[in-house]
Each structure stands twice: as C-alpha cells, then as structure tokens.
Amino acid sequence: MSIQSALIGFLISQTLRTSLTPQEIVVVQTTAVATGTMPLAAGFVGILPALALLSEEKDGTPPIHLSWLAAVGWSCSIAYFGVFLSPPIRKQVIIEEELPFPSGTATAQLINVLHELPPPDTTIRRRRGYQEVDTEADDREDEVAEVPVRADEHDEGEREVLEHGWHSLVWSFIVSAFVSLSAYFFPVLFAIPIFGGYLAKQWLWYFTPSLSYIGQGIIMGFPTTVSMNLGMVVGWAVLSPLSKYSGWAPGPVGDMSNGARGWILWTSLGIMCADSLVSLLPVVAEYAVDLVNTQRRIYLGANVDDRTEDKETETEERLVPVSWVISGLLASIIIGTILVWVVFGNEGIKPWATVLGFILGGLLSIIGVRALGETDLSPVSALGKVSQLFFAWVQPGNVVANIIAGGVTEAGALQAGDLMQDLKTGHLCHASPRAQFYGQMIGSSVSILVTATAFTLYNRAYEIPGPSFPAPTAYVWLSLARLLRDGHLPEKSAVFMAAFAGVFAVLAMVKVYAVRRELWFAKWIPSGVAFAIGFLNTPSFSIARLVGGVMEYIYRTRYAKDRQDIRLIVIASGFVLGEGVISIVGLALQLFGVGVASCWGCGHGLCGGGCPAAT
C-alpha cells in the first residue's frame, strides 16, 4: 500500500493546510506500510488460522487458538527482526547494486508528481550532490537540502491535483462503502450465481462484484490478473471436475481435506515452488559470484570499504548506526525466542529451533529482497516452503514446530522486503534513512495492538477459516507440514504437481531471460505465482480482479494523458479503502447481533455467515 499511503498522506496534509515536504510524505507512507505489514508478517492470515485447523487425531495436538494477550506476544516476537535487517540490506541492494524496486520507484515518482517536481533521478552516480548536505544546518533544513523548491506558478497545478484527487477518492470511497454495506444486509450481492445455480452450488462458480477486488486488480495490472484468471480456468474448470469425476477427490468440491479444492491445492503448491525457486536461481548465482569477487579483491589487497563508502549518498548522521543494528538484531532474536516459547510452550517448538528460524529468516530475506528488487514480486511463499523443508529435517514429525518456525522465517523475509521498497522511495526522494527507521519502528509497534485486537474481534464474529474469510494460505501451510511429516499425497496429485512444476519452471526461465534482456513480451509470459493463486482462490476472487485489470489496460492505452496520470490509481485506492473501512462497520454489526435484511437468492449456500444455508 505504498502508493495509496503516499497519496492519502498528501491529500490529508493539503486539506489540513500543513504542506508536507516530499521527504515527510515518505516518512508518512513508510510508517503506514510498516503498520499494514504486520497482519501478513505475523501470519494472521495464514499461520494462525493453520494452527486453528490442527486436529488431535491427525496431528497429535488439538487446535491452537491464541488469546488476545498471546496474539500480542506472538506479534512482539517477530515485529522488529525485519526492521533491524533493513539498514544493512539497504546498503547492499540499493546503494551497491542499484536494484530498481519498481513499486518503490513508482511511489517516488508519484510523490514528485504530487509536489509538482521533476521525476526522480534513478541513477546514483548523478546524485552526488546529496553528499554535500550541510551538517551544521538545523534538522528541517537538513531534511530538505538539495531538493528543488516549488515555484509560485505550480500552486495552481497543485490545487488542481488536490481538488481532482479528493473528488475521485471521496466518490470512489463512498460508492465502494455503499456497495459493501449493501452486501452485508443482502449477502447475495457478493455471491451472484451468474453461471447458474448448479455451477454456483456444486462447483463454486459465482461472481463477487467487490469494488475492493476490482481496485486491487487495477493496482496489480492487466498481465498479472490475466495470469491469475488463466490459473482459475485451468484449476476450477479443468482439474477440479477431472479430480472429482476420476474419484481422486470424492468429497464436496469446496472441501480442503478430500474435495477438489484441496486436491488442486497441491498442483498450485508445485507451481509456486517451481516458479519462485527458478526465479531465485539467478539472484543466488549473482550473489555467489559477487561474494567470490569481493573475497578475491580483499585477497588481492583492493580496498572494498572505500569503494562501498564512495557510493553512499547519505551523511553519517542520517544513517542508522551499525551499533543499533547489531544490538537490535540480538535483542529481537533473544526476546522473540522467549516470547515464542511463552506463547507456544516447549512442546510446540524448542527455543533453539526458534533461534534457527530467525537465522534462516535473515539469510533468506537477502534472497527475497533481491528478487523483489528485480521483479517486484516477493517470493516469500517459496521461502516459507524452504523453511518448512528445513524444519522438517530439524524437528521431524512436529507439525506445530514446522508451521511456527516457518512463520518466523517468513516474517523476517516479508518484513524486510516490504520495508526495502520504502527505503528505495526514500533514497530517490532524499529522505533520511534514520527518519524512515523511526517510522518503521513506530508503525510496527502500533500494529502489534491493532492487529491482535482486530484478529480477536474478527474471530469472535466470524469463522476463520470460513465462508467469509477462507484463508486459503492456512491450508497450504498445514498441508505441506503434514506432507513433510508422513509423506502422503492425495491420489494422482503428485503426477500433476510434477507436470505443472516442470512447465512453469521452463516458463520461469524464459521469463527471467526476457526480463533481463528487456524483451517486449516479458510481461505477457504468465506469472507462475499469480497462476497458482488462481487455483487457491475460488473463481469469484479472480474474476473481480480481472475486471480491474481490464479497466487498467483500457484506461492506460486509451485515456491516460501520460505515464504520470494517477487518476485511476486514486479511484482504485478509494475502492480498496471504502470496503476496508466499511468492513469494520460490518464487524461491529456482527458483534452486536445485527443480522442480514434478506437472504433472498442465497439458496446456493455461498452467502457467508449471514445466510449459510438460506433458501
């Protein structure tokens, strides 16, 4: 949400007549992203629901449901590790290697557009003037040094940006909120059986016209949404009926244990792992080559430190001190290990295994950040699977330990990657890395309480995983943990896993080659991760996002004035925010026992908790 956070921060600051500099907007959006990262980093949408799905009969341990206090403790255990990883990784991937980080660069471009400034210079060697910051100036002058000042003639343009921006954002917010609230009282609005009642009830083919999903599709872009829908067609229109009629998945189609949805999950997992791992191979190879070359230069007497220092564009007082990084990493590992032990107990995971999880997370985060910097796709799902494979060997037979340790590893990689995009934005806009570090710490701290509280309230109002919140990644975590424990796969699923993994390994190699050579067709090669997500989610999720992707393509090719036209992004942000805010209202209504107004049309039983079996 970097772009949306920067946009809304700018609009609010202009409305309050406290014009913030580009550097201050960077700190605002950095804090917002750090706050929003916690639900994913702490596994509230995957790991914790997976622990709630445990079965004493299958796994030897009853389901684990965390109380509010335990959720706070778990969040604290992983909240800061990725933050302290960020400063040293920043120097390598942003200063040394100059990786593009497309989303971070796009956010910097948006901030400059909003402030009527020229696009940021994305090459480090032409930004040497930043080293000449006057260290004797006060903090405010230091913050804005070397940044072009807006001329008076830009005031009218800025007012136009503000007026049109607010107009588009407010109306899209209102429309999305109205649609979402209407769907609460009339659930069939988000479960429209456009393909007929039989396909909706028996095969889960229905349409959810969520403006939030459409907004996400706009932000994701047309190629990604096409990949997702190709996966949806293959998974739900081909493999799902094939597995059902062949007797490989005899249960109800939506059942994750013995139904078609659980069966195609394994093919999805094979695609994700193959695509992500193949995409990572060039990154790992380059890292190994760079490491060997660095060691050789050291052996031959070359001064590597001077070369690195010469590329740094910030003064010492604006950087995060090395002593902070070292002490912070040690403290976060020690305190995190103790908190994990307190929350889950010695039977859940051994303390030494948690320490290994943090160490592995630090190593994998370097790989994940570099992949994100080059492709704008974070392979944290594959990194999580790598950690599960590792802990299946370290603590064999322990499903709980496998999930928790994998979660610790994934949290560091995910958090470091998300925050690195913001550091790239700050680098291009000349924001202080230390100020961004403060923002990351504040955002992560606030999010601990917000996320734990929200998760607890949603668990009281809804079944998670359940019809309203299916949490598909929870089944991925649990299924892989069980597979690594007993090696049992659903009938014939291994054949399809291997076949699809092979196909997408080849496609990933072609895509990596095309991207590095900047060939025009690179973006049209299907993304394996997006294709696999089309398997994980029911068709309603993918179709709505395709609508957004088509809107983005049409607008960009026919109506956008130039590449800096942000009108559609503003509308998409309003769509996402409107449904997100109104969902809190829906949560309150659910907690206070306010039911739906009508269950008409919900005979297919797919209308969520309000009308689970209405006729």
Side-chain angles (χ1 to χ4, degrees):
M1 298 295 287
S2 299
I3 291 177
Q4 292 83 346
S5 300
L7 170 67
I8 295 167
F10 173 82
L11 293 176
I12 291 176
S13 70
Q14 293 295 310
T15 302
L16 298 177
R17 300 184 183 278
T18 55
S19 182
L20 299 181
T21 65
Q23 295 73 36
E24 290 168 333
I25 292 295
V26 169
V27 175
V28 168
Q29 66 95 18
T30 299
T31 307
V33 169
T35 306
T37 297
M38 184 59 64
L40 295 175
F44 282 89
V45 298
I47 295 165
L48 298 190
L51 294 175
L53 291 169
L54 291 171
S55 166
E56 190 160 11
E57 180 182 352
K58 292 182 179 180
D59 308 303
T61 183
I64 297 175
H65 300 278
L66 298 188
S67 65
W68 178 84
L69 187 60
V72 170
W74 161 248
S75 300
C76 289
S77 69
I78 53 86
Y80 304 107
F81 180 64
V83 177
F84 284 105
L85 276 176
S86 298
I89 299 178
R90 168 195 171 272
K91 191 169 187 179
Q92 176 64 29
V93 299
I94 294 178
I95 304 302
E96 282 294 312
E97 301 179 37
E98 305 181 31
L99 297 185
F101 287 97
S103 290
T105 300
T107 305
Q109 292 170 341
L110 172 68
I111 291 172
N112 278 26
V113 168
L114 293 173
H115 287 84
E116 298 286 315
L117 298 175
D121 192 342
T122 57
T123 59
I124 288 179
R125 292 177 181 82
R126 291 200 293 271
R127 300 175 67 248
R128 288 299 179 189
Y130 288 166
Q131 291 182 329
E132 300 172 5
V133 175
D134 184 4
T135 57
E136 297 180 0
D138 59 45
D139 293 340
R140 178 72 173 181
E141 293 172 343
D142 180 61
E143 187 71 25
V144 300
E146 297 293 331
V147 177
V149 181
R150 294 192 306 272
D152 292 339
E153 57 265 24
H154 289 155
D155 291 346
E156 183 177 349
E158 187 174 274
R159 283 195 296 271
E160 184 178 351
V161 171
L162 177 63
E163 181 180 347
H164 287 303
W166 265 125
H167 184 271
S168 301
L169 185 70
V170 169
W171 277 107
S172 59
F173 180 97
I174 291 173
V175 172
S176 179
F178 175 77
V179 171
S180 184
L181 190 61
S182 300
Y184 177 87
F185 290 107
F186 302 94
V188 73
L189 292 178
F190 270 12
I192 301 175
I194 59 174
F195 305 103
Y198 172 76
L199 287 179
K201 187 171 186 177
Q202 298 297 326
W203 298 99
L204 306 184
W205 278 87
Y206 59 95
F207 178 53
T208 299
S210 160
L211 291 182
S212 177
Y213 295 164
I214 292 173
Q216 292 167 18
I218 292 171
I219 296 167
M220 293 164 69
F222 184 60
T224 301
T225 56
V226 168
S227 295
M228 187 182 299
N229 278 265
L230 286 174
M232 174 201 71
V233 171
V234 173
W236 291 92
V238 179
L239 296 184
S240 174
L242 177 64
S243 63
K244 176 74 172 178
Y245 287 124
S246 300
W248 306 330
V253 171
D255 194 304
M256 294 295 290
S257 57
N258 65 346
R261 187 176 187 182
W263 192 90
I264 64 175
L265 178 148
W266 292 102
T267 304
S268 171
L269 182 61
I271 294 170
M272 282 194 293
C273 289
D275 181 87
S276 299
L277 292 176
V278 169
S279 299
L280 284 177
L281 287 178
V283 181
V284 175
E286 287 182 2
Y287 184 80
V289 170
D290 290 344
L291 186 62
V292 170
N293 289 338
T294 300
Q295 293 300 319
R296 186 169 61 180
R297 280 193 294 268
I298 293 175
Y299 178 76
L300 295 176
N303 195 335
V304 179
D305 291 336
D306 288 345
R307 177 181 56 86
T308 301
E309 181 64 27
D310 187 53
K311 281 191 173 184
E312 180 57 77
T313 60
E314 298 291 352
T315 54
E316 193 67 31
E317 64 273 10
R318 287 163 57 92
L319 295 171
V320 180
V322 176
S323 59
W324 293 13
V325 173
I326 295 175
S327 59
L329 284 173
L330 291 176
S332 60
I333 292 175
I334 294 171
I335 296 174
T337 301
I338 294 172
L339 287 174
V340 170
W341 177 74
V342 170
V343 171
F344 295 104
N346 197 51
E347 294 182 0
I349 182 172
K350 306 293 184 185
W352 58 265
T354 305
V355 173
L356 279 181
F358 279 114
I359 296 173
L360 185 62
L363 297 174
L364 293 180
S365 65
I366 298 173
I367 298 173
V369 164
R370 292 188 65 174
L372 181 67
E374 292 186 2
T375 67
D376 212 33
L377 290 174
S378 179
V380 290
S381 58
L383 298 179
K385 306 304 171 286
V386 170
S387 65
Q388 283 190 274
L389 290 170
F390 177 76
F391 284 100
W393 172 66
V394 171
Q395 277 198 278
N398 192 330
V399 172
V400 176
N402 187 277
I403 294 173
I404 296 172
V408 169
T409 301
E410 187 183 57
L414 175 64
Q415 204 173 26
D418 282 355
L419 301 182
M420 202 58 57
Q421 292 274 23
D422 301 324
L423 290 173
K424 177 68 174 184
T425 303
H427 178 69
L428 294 177
C429 293
H430 193 216
S432 164
R434 188 179 296 192
Q436 288 187 268
F437 176 78
Y438 292 147
Q440 292 169 354
M441 293 293 289
I442 293 170
S444 297
S445 300
V446 170
S447 190
I448 291 171
L449 298 177
V450 174
T451 304
T453 302
F455 181 75
T456 303
L457 291 175
Y458 273 100
N459 261 309
R460 291 178 182 176
Y462 301 95
E463 178 188 359
I464 303 178
S468 299
F469 298 95
T473 55
Y475 294 96
V476 175
W477 279 96
L478 183 58
S479 297
L480 183 57
R482 286 172 173 171
L483 171 66
L484 294 172
R485 181 196 60 195
D486 52 33
H488 177 69
L489 280 172
E491 186 179 1
K492 299 295 183 180
S493 62
V495 176
F496 285 85
M497 279 184 72
F500 276 84
V503 169
F504 277 90
V506 174
L507 283 177
M509 285 187 270
V510 175
K511 192 175 184 72
V512 167
Y513 176 82
V515 168
R516 288 171 178 263
R517 292 298 182 94
E518 298 182 355
L519 302 177
W520 66 270
F521 60 84
K523 66 179 180 180
W524 298 110
I525 299 174
S527 162
V529 173
F531 189 92
I533 289 174
F535 283 54
L536 288 181
N537 290 319
T538 55
S540 60
F541 288 79
S542 301
I543 295 172
R545 290 182 171 94
L546 179 62
V547 173
V550 171
M551 290 174 60
E552 182 270 340
Y553 179 77
I554 294 174
Y555 184 83
R556 175 169 46 84
T557 56
R558 297 188 180 183
Y559 300 106
K561 298 176 182 178
D562 52 49
R563 296 184 65 182
Q564 295 181 344
D565 190 326
I566 61 171
R567 179 70 61 87
L568 193 62
I569 288 293
V570 174
I571 293 172
S573 301
F575 285 165
V576 175
L577 292 167
E579 188 168 317
V581 171
I582 212 66
S583 69
I584 300 174
V585 177
L587 171 62
L589 293 173
Q590 188 85 357
L591 289 173
F592 286 107
V594 179
V596 302
S598 173
C599 287
W600 177 84
C602 288
H604 47 55
L606 300 170
C607 289
C611 296
T615 58

